[in-house]
Structures are given as C-alpha cells and as structure tokens.
Amino acid sequence: MEKLVVELCMGSSCFARGNAQTLAALETFLKEEGLGERVELVGHLCLGSCSKGPNLRIGETTYSGLDAACVIDLVRSALKDQGAMV
C-alpha cells in the first residue's frame, strides 16, 4: 500500500503559528499508533500561503489555519480513505 504523504510547512510564519506543535503531535501520534511505515512526514520551507498558516498538505489538498488535533483527524481520515484502519 502506498504511503500517505503529509507535507508540513516549516517556514518561520507557519512554524511560529503552530506547526512546531503540530509536528510534535504528529510524530507522537504516528509512533503511538504504529503508523511510521504508513505515513511519510515531509517538511517544506514554504507552501505559499504564509498569511493563512499554519499550512499543511495531504495528497493534493492544502489545509490552512489548523491546530494539531485537527491535523491528526485529517490524517486519520486520509488513512481510512486509503483503506487503513486507525
């Protein structure tokens, strides 16, 4: 099964607006759920929507202004859409 790619903006604006906490929460979630082989976290310097941050992309969809809990829910949903139970 193909890995779910989660791209997290690590630019200064998004990082300061919450992606630092989102990264930590995602890493903890993936470890606790044993999903390290299913999800690939990718950091970017900028996803191009600094004023709407923090930004994250899953597949072809970019999300803005999310907190860590929302991001984990999005990852769970995307994994379910791929046929993985979380």
Side-chain angles (χ1 to χ4, degrees):
M1 187 172 280
E2 192 173 322
K3 278 190 172 187
L4 177 69
V5 178
V6 177
E7 300 172 83
L8 197 61
C9 183
M10 301 308 286
S12 58
S13 178
C14 286
F15 198 75
R17 290 180 183 195
N19 270 356
Q21 294 83 3
T22 297
L23 175 61
L26 274 172
E27 289 175 332
T28 299
F29 167 72
L30 296 176
K31 183 177 180 182
E32 288 176 353
E33 298 293 326
L35 295 169
E37 296 295 318
R38 297 282 339 248
V39 178
E40 179 180 356
L41 286 179
V42 178
H44 286 283
L45 289 180
C46 187
L47 290 176
S49 297
C50 301
S51 65
K52 297 178 185 176
N55 299 299
L56 150 108
R57 184 170 31 223
I58 299 175
E60 300 296 320
T61 305
T62 300
Y63 301 92
S64 299
L66 303 173
D67 63 20
C70 291
V71 170
I72 289 171
D73 288 343
L74 287 170
V75 170
R76 283 184 193 273
S77 178
L79 286 168
K80 287 180 184 174
D81 289 347
Q82 281 188 336
M85 298 304 290
V86 181

